[in-house]
Amino acid sequence: GEGNDMIHVALRLDGPSVTSIHSLEHGILAALASTRTPATFAVIPFKAKAGEPHALESADVPHLVEAHARGRIEIAQHGYSHQPRQPPEALRPSEFEGVPGEEQERSIRAGRDQLERVFGITVTGFVPPWNTFDTHTEAVLERLGFRYLSAGPRLPQGHRLKALPRTCHISELPNAVAEARTRTWGDACIVALMHHYDFRESGEGEACIDVPWLEATLRRYAGDAAIRFVTLETLAATLPPSVSTLQRHRRRLPWPIQRRLPRLCLAWPHPRVFMRKA
């Protein structure tokens, strides 16, 4: 890369809710605060509690309300209740894919209204559970004024909604940063995804990191002028439209260019790269 190339890093935690592991969230928030790192928490607005959908209230998540009030985290919407509602013939779990548009609109609107009441904000970001959505979901999000959709590698078809796909798992963050440093000819962005079950503090057997690892990793990058930690909301505002276009047409690009595109981050060239070749 060149001297003024910037690596934008957004951390996305999926799944905080009335029933999530709040002690672990406290640990993650402490790691973020001590390293002055912002993050996006994709919160579930209605979660089943004792079998009934429970509308999230500020008293359920005072730690998130406080962290948001201090400007430490962005709140995005993680679906409605994180319950699969797809038709029987569906191949993968989804809360939205294959569900009629009006039904999607009702649940997305209700979820957003609830989060906006709890946090006193306008929610601009949407993270669909299981990273699954369809064209109805996109149309609803655009109609309701959402700014971005953050899911898996599959991109929305529309052009008004910014696509901010996760680019790596949180455990791959050091590899993603190393790749961004060596393989870009311009700026790069990393969207690193984490779930509660990734942390050993959750008690899950498959967990591969812990809170001290997260804090140590963030501290390693804290003083690096080439790395800027941002929320997804900030990323949506600063990412040039050409990045989404590049992602959409990635597979159609000539193989030598495809090969130069990184695997764990998104990269885009500065205009001067093309001017130099002219």
Side-chain angles (χ1 to χ4, degrees):
E2 297 195 21
N4 56 353
D5 295 345
M6 184 62 70
I7 301 168
H8 309 263
V9 183
L11 305 179
R12 186 183 115 196
L13 175 68
D14 284 5
S17 73
V18 63
T19 60
S20 58
I21 308 168
H22 296 172
S23 57
L24 171 54
E25 289 161 13
H26 276 284
I28 294 169
L29 287 169
L32 295 171
S34 76
T35 56
R36 297 187 174 174
T37 308
T40 296
F41 280 33
V43 179
I44 303 169
F46 290 86
K47 192 77 165 50
K49 190 180 179 188
E52 291 297 312
H54 175 94
L56 189 74
E57 299 295 347
S58 50
D60 297 323
V61 286
H63 57 302
L64 299 186
V65 173
E66 187 204 6
H68 175 267
R70 290 183 172 216
R72 294 203 172 129
I73 57 171
E74 174 209 357
I75 302 297
Q77 180 176 346
H78 196 32
Y80 174 77
S81 63
H82 211 298
Q83 291 295 305
R85 298 210 320 251
Q86 80 276 36
E89 67 275 11
L91 299 172
R92 53 190 175 174
S94 183
E95 192 170 24
F96 298 100
E97 199 170 32
V99 174
E102 312 79 65
E103 202 179 316
Q104 291 197 41
E105 178 151 3
R106 273 196 304 274
S107 59
I108 291 172
R109 190 188 287 276
R112 185 189 63 176
D113 289 351
Q114 193 60 31
L115 290 180
E116 292 189 343
R117 271 196 293 275
V118 170
F119 294 98
I121 50 166
T122 301
V123 173
T124 62
F126 190 80
V127 177
W130 299 286
N131 291 316
T132 53
F133 60 93
D134 61 18
T135 50
H136 288 306
T137 322
E138 289 176 52
V140 167
L141 295 175
E142 289 193 351
R143 205 158 46 241
L144 294 181
F146 281 85
R147 191 172 298 149
Y148 71 82
L149 169 68
S150 184
R154 189 167 82 80
L155 293 176
Q157 300 304 303
H159 290 272
R160 273 190 300 166
L161 208 56
K162 276 276 176 76
L164 301 178
R166 61 135 175 80
T167 65
C168 72
H169 184 264
I170 187 64
S171 61
E172 298 173 298
L173 181 58
N175 292 344
V177 169
E179 183 183 61
R181 284 195 207 281
T182 56
R183 298 197 51 188
T184 72
W185 11 245
D187 286 359
C189 79
I190 296 165
V191 177
L193 173 60
M194 44 188 180
H195 286 91
H196 295 72
Y197 53 70
D198 294 322
F199 290 85
R200 293 192 188 95
E201 289 86 350
S202 70
E204 292 288 337
E206 301 297 301
C208 56
I209 62 162
D210 55 20
V211 171
W213 179 91
L214 178 68
E215 184 168 351
T217 303
L218 298 179
R219 198 169 295 292
R220 190 195 318 174
Y221 302 126
D224 194 319
I227 297 175
R228 180 169 171 245
F229 281 89
V230 292
T231 61
L232 287 174
E233 191 173 29
T234 302
L235 201 54
T238 55
L239 223 58
S242 58
V243 182
S244 290
T245 309
L246 188 64
Q247 292 171 62
R248 275 194 190 88
H249 300 298
R250 184 172 183 142
R251 289 196 177 143
R252 296 184 215 152
L253 292 169
W255 173 241
I257 295 178
Q258 271 197 51
R259 203 181 56 204
R260 287 186 68 191
L261 293 176
R263 194 177 58 86
L264 299 171
C265 63
L266 304 175
W268 60 98
H270 290 309
R272 64 174 183 269
V273 171
F274 293 120
M275 292 190 302
R276 204 184 302 130
K277 292 191 167 61

